[in-house]
Amino acid sequence: MILLSSCLAGFNVRYDGGNARQPLAVKLLALGAAITVCPEIMAGFATPREPAEIQGGTGADVLTGRARVVTRSGRDVTAAYLAAAQRVLAIAQKHRVTVAYLKQKSPACGTREVYDGSFTGRRIAGSGVTAALLRQHGIQVFGDEALTPAHVARFLPETTIRLLAKQNLAAGLQ
């Protein structure tokens, strides 16, 4: 089973109330080959919401207590991000997820880079809290830039790969 950030499947759960829909994510979900999660929604945050960034490190540092997640106004939301990451992990384990495609740069889902905590748009190498926890538990984690038919085919049965090749989604979803 593949795990996807909900925003990649078109759900309006991003901090700005929008999504980052990718047609392949929608199709994987429609075919039953993927499930979606949004750690921020699972943390109880609203959409839209105040942006949050990791200060003092990366998601791996948050997991060890060396960094924290704060909102632009300075509210510490670390505990909510940690609890949501644990919820996502439990869902992933329940559904035998082996691979995840998550939204890059998010303090929860970033896989290779996250914002540096200064709220200036600067990025640093590292993962978000949820991505780091999933990796620690043996789940392969990739950013949304890797969500391509060729990449996901490595993790799917042949029957699903054939269905992905069909152009059978409504024009607005392709």
Side-chain angles (χ1 to χ4, degrees), residues 3 16 18 47 49 51 56 77 85 88 97 103 121 127 169:
L3 181 76
D16 60 4
T47 302
R49 61 186 163 273
V77 291
V88 170
V97 166
K103 183 66 184 124
S127 297
L169 284 181

Side-chain angles (χ1 to χ4, degrees), residues 81-119:
Y81 272 80
L82 288 168
Q86 290 293 333
R87 286 186 194 103
V88 170
L89 176 62
I91 290 168
Q93 291 173 330
K94 176 182 176 184
H95 292 278
R96 296 187 175 102
V97 166
T98 58
V99 62
Y101 292 90
L102 305 176
K103 183 66 184 124
Q104 202 61 269
K105 299 180 269 190
S106 155
C109 294
T111 64
R112 292 184 323 175
E113 62 179 8
V114 293
Y115 291 105
D116 72 355
S118 66
F119 295 93

Side-chain angles (χ1 to χ4, degrees), residues 4-22:
L4 300 169
S5 290
S6 295
C7 62
L8 298 177
F11 293 96
N12 293 328
V13 294
R14 287 174 43 100
Y15 77 95
D16 60 4
N19 66 66
R21 187 184 67 180
Q22 292 200 17

Side-chain angles (χ1 to χ4, degrees), residues 2-174:
I2 294 172
L3 181 76
L4 300 169
S5 290
S6 295
C7 62
L8 298 177
F11 293 96
N12 293 328
V13 294
R14 287 174 43 100
Y15 77 95
D16 60 4
N19 66 66
R21 187 184 67 180
Q22 292 200 17
L24 180 56
V26 175
K27 196 155 189 180
L28 288 167
L29 186 60
L31 291 172
I35 58 173
T36 67
V37 294
C38 177
E40 286 88 352
I41 296 300
M42 295 170 101
F45 300 129
T47 302
R49 61 186 163 273
E50 185 178 19
E53 295 185 3
I54 299 172
Q55 290 185 339
T58 66
D61 298 314
V62 172
L63 293 174
T64 62
R66 293 187 310 247
R68 62 192 189 122
V69 185
V70 298
T71 63
R72 180 178 288 153
S73 64
R75 186 167 56 103
D76 188 327
V77 291
T78 305
Y81 272 80
L82 288 168
Q86 290 293 333
R87 286 186 194 103
V88 170
L89 176 62
I91 290 168
Q93 291 173 330
K94 176 182 176 184
H95 292 278
R96 296 187 175 102
V97 166
T98 58
V99 62
Y101 292 90
L102 305 176
K103 183 66 184 124
Q104 202 61 269
K105 299 180 269 190
S106 155
C109 294
T111 64
R112 292 184 323 175
E113 62 179 8
V114 293
Y115 291 105
D116 72 355
S118 66
F119 295 93
T120 61
R122 284 192 305 242
R123 295 175 289 209
I124 59 171
S127 297
V129 179
T130 298
L133 185 63
L134 292 174
R135 275 197 182 114
Q136 284 182 2
H137 288 270
I139 296 171
Q140 295 180 73
V141 178
F142 302 98
D144 52 302
E145 73 283 352
L147 187 59
T148 65
H151 199 273
V152 300
R154 303 177 346 195
F155 307 104
L156 296 171
E158 185 60 37
T159 53
T160 304
I161 294 168
R162 282 195 301 273
L163 288 170
L164 280 177
K166 291 183 177 277
Q167 297 298 316
N168 61 347
L169 284 181
L173 294 178
Q174 296 190 26

